[in-house]
Amino acid sequence: MTDGRRADSEAVQVIAPNGVTWTRIADGRSSPADLLRELTQLTMDHVEREWDWWQEGRAQQEHDRRWAILGEWEKGVPRCDAHHDPEASAEAFLAECDRRHEVKKRQRAARAAELYSKERENLRLELMRTEADAAFFAHVLTAPASREQQDAAERRVAERQTAARELRSKIGDAEDVIDHAGYYPAERRSSSLSSHMTFWRHPMLRELHKARQRKRFTTLLAMRPPAPAGMCSECQAPSQWHENALSLCLFRPDPPAGSTAETLARLMPGWWQRCSACTTYQLEHRWGGSFALPDFTGEQWRAMLPPMLREIFAPDPPKAKKAAARPEPLAVISGGNIDDVLVRLADAKARFPNAEVRGGPRGTWKLWPST
């Protein structure tokens, strides 16, 4: 490999880790190290690469910078083919991408026609809700508020775990349950992670930064990307958040006017916004009665949250009210010999000519601002 600082007449080349030789164009200025860094970035998953690009326009800036460098290099030896058309090559590449997309689309449609089962899909959703319920009540048991609450939570953990086992026996492998469009859960989780970053994490960081909520901003910025397998297949939140009654349904529109869903959403606040795989406890708590845990409060829920989720989602605790400052007199004249008292009064009058004199405790006189 020649040194990039030598005369431009000498071709600068570098061999990438995959064995491909890259040659810098005549007027290129980027170094081989620059090229290798950008090639490495291209092999990364886009979520890993872009996770912290939260600033407005950052993704476009990085894209332009990367392709400015890649545009200075060609695969193989310097091209001598005068008939080479870069635009035609790019169009051919995009056409091939479109062709592959259509092939996959047809494959999913055929898969859905053959394998989709509404019953299995509903059973799988019920399973996820049931497992989230069991985890929620297990969190309650880490610090129960009362013996009565502990007994209720223990009973409900056992009930939910038994129900989950029964559901799994009916479903079989839950990962083989496709949706109506032919997507497997794993495929939807990967999409959920991308949407979580692009449509929730980045906008939320910008909002917190603008509002100068430094602690929440720093906490969210420090969060590392979950593995795709850790995402919910039904919404844009990590599935573990559902154990704490937290959902991120970023693309769900309002229920249709006049529909049963609209009526339910009005009767049960939070029902429509909640992911169908999330714990149902927050709804049960609103309804009260036998569904609600004894002595369970919002403060207990806040304490149950992992520190990161608590900092991001829990309302700030109410600030302690400062005690109102008690007014103080301008001066206090103690009793004593009349001549001494008159001298002190004369001195106070000189300093506070408009003050009012009022009797105080134990034979004192207090000077107050004039009302």
Side-chain angles (χ1 to χ4, degrees):
M1 182 181 71
T2 60
D3 191 331
R5 294 172 294 183
R6 294 181 184 177
D8 289 344
S9 60
E10 296 185 37
V12 178
Q13 294 184 324
V14 61
I15 300 176
N18 62 356
V20 174
T21 298
W22 291 79
T23 303
R24 194 175 68 185
I25 63 177
D27 58 348
R29 291 293 179 267
S30 56
S31 69
D34 293 334
L35 172 68
L36 293 176
R37 182 183 65 248
E38 298 309 325
L39 291 176
T40 300
Q41 289 281 318
L42 283 177
T43 63
M44 296 170 60
D45 177 81
H46 83 284
V47 171
E48 181 183 3
R49 182 174 63 243
E50 301 172 18
W51 185 250
D52 290 329
W53 294 359
W54 59 271
Q55 299 92 337
E56 193 74 52
R58 172 74 182 276
Q60 186 62 49
Q61 291 172 2
E62 294 290 344
H63 175 276
D64 293 345
R65 181 191 58 76
R66 172 172 297 112
W67 287 100
I69 292 174
L70 295 175
E72 294 183 349
W73 296 80
E74 295 180 332
K75 288 184 180 180
V77 297
R79 185 175 297 279
C80 299
D81 183 3
H83 301 289
H84 172 67
D85 185 347
E87 291 188 8
S89 297
E91 289 177 0
F93 174 77
L94 293 175
E96 176 63 15
C97 289
D98 290 340
R99 186 192 68 78
R100 293 180 182 178
H101 174 76
E102 287 301 318
V103 169
K104 290 182 179 179
K105 186 177 179 180
R106 290 194 295 270
Q107 290 174 340
R108 284 194 299 271
R111 183 193 304 160
E114 179 184 359
L115 301 175
Y116 176 66
S117 166
K118 183 67 175 177
E119 180 183 5
R120 288 194 78 207
E121 184 180 40
N122 287 338
L123 285 173
R124 179 177 171 273
L125 292 175
E126 185 179 352
L127 171 63
M128 290 188 289
R129 286 193 297 270
T130 301
E131 291 179 334
D133 281 346
F136 178 88
F137 295 119
H139 292 322
V140 172
L141 289 173
T142 60
S146 64
R147 181 64 194 182
E148 186 181 8
Q149 184 186 91
Q150 180 177 342
D151 292 343
E154 288 175 346
R155 182 177 64 255
R156 298 193 70 173
V157 168
E159 290 173 351
R160 297 291 83 192
Q161 289 177 341
T162 299
R165 287 193 294 269
E166 293 175 353
L167 286 166
R168 284 197 174 277
S169 68
K170 294 179 182 178
I171 297 171
D173 187 355
E175 292 302 300
D176 283 342
V177 180
I178 61 174
D179 66 6
H180 68 281
Y183 285 95
Y184 285 106
E187 295 174 301
R188 302 201 300 275
R189 291 190 190 101
S190 180
S191 176
S192 293
L193 178 56
S194 179
S195 295
H196 173 96
M197 176 188 73
T198 304
F199 301 106
W200 183 77
R201 173 178 170 81
H202 290 172
M204 178 63 72
L205 283 168
R206 289 194 290 269
E207 180 181 327
L208 294 173
H209 184 264
K210 183 177 180 181
R212 299 183 182 277
Q213 296 192 41
R214 300 306 304 169
K215 192 172 181 182
R216 291 184 192 269
F217 172 85
T218 303
T219 300
L220 180 56
L221 186 63
M223 174 186 169
R224 292 300 84 204
M231 293 297 296
C232 177
S233 57
E234 311 306 310
C235 79
Q236 290 71 50
S239 56
Q240 197 170 27
W241 290 14
H242 296 334
E243 301 175 4
N244 297 285
L246 295 171
S247 300
L248 283 181
C249 298
L250 300 181
F251 311 121
R252 181 175 295 173
D254 293 334
S259 65
T260 301
E262 183 191 40
T263 302
L264 288 173
R266 186 169 57 253
L267 292 174
M268 301 175 65
W271 169 73
W272 183 256
Q273 294 78 16
R274 179 187 135 272
C275 175
S276 53
C278 187
T279 176
T280 60
Y281 181 73
Q282 70 270 39
L283 300 179
E284 298 172 351
H285 190 85
R286 286 192 176 100
W287 279 105
S290 60
F291 295 111
L293 285 172
D295 309 310
F296 191 80
T297 65
E299 186 56 37
Q300 185 177 357
W301 170 79
R302 184 182 186 279
M304 281 167 44
L305 292 174
M308 184 196 73
L309 296 182
R310 185 185 311 137
E311 186 59 46
I312 296 171
F313 289 103
D316 292 324
K319 295 181 179 180
K321 292 184 178 179
K322 294 182 179 180
R326 298 182 62 182
E328 295 290 336
L330 300 173
V332 178
I333 308 299
S334 59
N337 181 276
I338 188 171
D339 292 331
D340 294 337
V341 171
L342 288 174
V343 169
R344 290 197 293 273
L345 283 171
D347 179 64
K349 182 179 180 180
R351 288 187 293 139
F352 311 108
N354 298 318
E356 293 183 359
V357 180
R358 304 174 193 168
R362 294 183 294 278
T364 61
W365 295 92
K366 292 186 176 181
L367 276 64
W368 296 92
S370 176
T371 58

